[in-house]
Amino acid sequence: MISVEKGYVDMPIEKGIDIKNEILRMKKEKNAVILAHYYQRNEIQDIADYIGDSLALAQIAARVDADIIVMCGVHFMGETAKILCPFKKVIVPDMNGGCSLADSCPADKFADYVNLHPGYTVISYVNTSAAVKAYTDIVVTSSNAKEIVESLPENEKIIFGPDRNLGNYINGVTGRNMLLWDGACDVHEKFSLEKVLALKKENNNAKILVHPECKKPLQLIADKVGSTQALLNFAVNDECNTFIVATESGILHEMQKRCPEKKFIPAPPEDGTCSCNECAYMKLITLEKLYNSLKYELPEISVDKEIADKAVLSINRMLDISKNLGIIK
Ligand code: 13P
Ligand code: SF4
C-alpha cells in the first residue's frame, strides 16, 4: 500500500531514469493529461499538455478526453476538475497546495451569511472549496466575473465572495453594489505600492499590470487590471516593451516565452528582500512529485457526492454563461 499521508507520494525514484521522458511515457500509456496553472514552477508548465488560468483549466477539464487528469495547481482546482468529470481519475501531485483565499471563506460561515440574506443571488469566485460552491448560484473567475455580473439584471441583489478586492473592483467597473465577503489572497494583497512606484521611476516607459486580487491603491496606478490570462494577452499585444507585473511571478515564464524581446519585471512584496512574489502553495509540485503521482495514480481527489451534485450546477452555469457571452468557445 502506497502512503499519501504527507499529501503526496513519498517514494524514492529509481536512479538514472530520465524523469521528464518517463512522465511523458506514462502519460501516453495511461491516457493521462497534465494541466498546469500559470503559477506553477517553470518545469511543470513546460511539461504540461495545457497551461492556463483558472477559467481555462476548468474549461479544459470539462471537455478533455483522457482517463486521468493530473491537475498541477492547488486543491480547489483539482476539486473543480473532479466535480466536472466525476468518472475520471483526478490527481493533484501535492494535496498540501491549499489557497489562502479559499481558506478565508469557511463553508459553514458562508452558509450562515447566505441564509441571512434571502433573495440574493450568490456569486463565488472559483477559488473556493466545493462546499462553498454548493451554496453558490454562479461561480466566476477573474476572467469572466465582470461580464457575468453585467449579464444579470441591474436590480439583482448579489452576494459576491470571497475576494474583497476583486468584488470591489467589479462593483467599481459595473456600478453594482454587491455585498462582499471579506476574504483575500495573501499573495496578491502583499505587493508593495511603494516598491512598484520606485520600479516605475527607474523604468519610466514600463506599463504596470495588476491582478484584481491586489489592493485598490495598486489597481489605481495600473495600466491594465485583469486576470492572469488578460494580463498575458495585454503584454503580448501591447506595443510597450517593459512591464511591471503585479501577480504571482510564475506567469512571467509564459510572458517571457511569448515575448522574448520584451522585459518583464516582477512586482515585489512588502516584506523581505525577495524581488518577486510567489504563492508557496503553487510551488509545491515538483517534477519528482508529478512523476510519482502518475506512476502510482495518487493522491486522488474525491468530492462528497451530495456536495458535488450541487456544486456542479454553479460551475456549469459559469461555463454556460461564458459560452453564451463568447468569453470561451
Ligand atoms: P486566475 O487564474 O483566474 O487569474 O486567478 C488567480 C489565482 O490566484 C489563481 O489561484
Ligand atoms: Fe490562492 Fe492566492 Fe495562491 Fe492563487 S495565488 S492559489 S488565490 S493563495
Side-chain angles (χ1 to χ4, degrees), residues 128-149:
T128 45
S129 65
V132 167
K133 291 185 178 79
Y135 291 111
T136 295
D137 296 304
I138 315 171
V139 168
V140 295
T141 77
S142 45
S143 274
N144 58 20
K146 172 179 168 282
E147 290 78 4
I148 288 183
V149 168

Side-chain angles (χ1 to χ4, degrees), residues 37-39 52-57 74 76-77 98-99 101 125-127 140-144 166 185 187-188 211-213 226-231 247-248 279 282:
H37 192 273
Y38 286 128
Y39 300 168
D53 70 349
S54 310
L55 176 62
L57 296 184
V74 292
F76 76 79
M77 295 176 177
C99 169
L101 179 52
Y125 201 25
V126 70
N127 299 45
V140 295
T141 77
S142 45
S143 274
N144 58 20
L166 176 66
C185 157
V187 178
H188 284 91
H211 197 282
E213 287 171 25
S227 66
T228 312
Q229 185 66 51
L231 299 183
T247 189
E248 210 273 356
C279 171
M282 282 281 186

Side-chain angles (χ1 to χ4, degrees), residues 38 229 232-233 236 253-261:
Y38 286 128
Q229 185 66 51
L232 173 63
N233 295 347
V236 170
H253 184 56
E254 184 63 15
M255 285 177 168
Q256 202 64 77
K257 255 173 127 174
R258 301 267 292 273
C259 313
E261 73 293 353

Side-chain angles (χ1 to χ4, degrees), residues 29 214 226 316:
E29 182 185 288
C214 298
N316 275 333

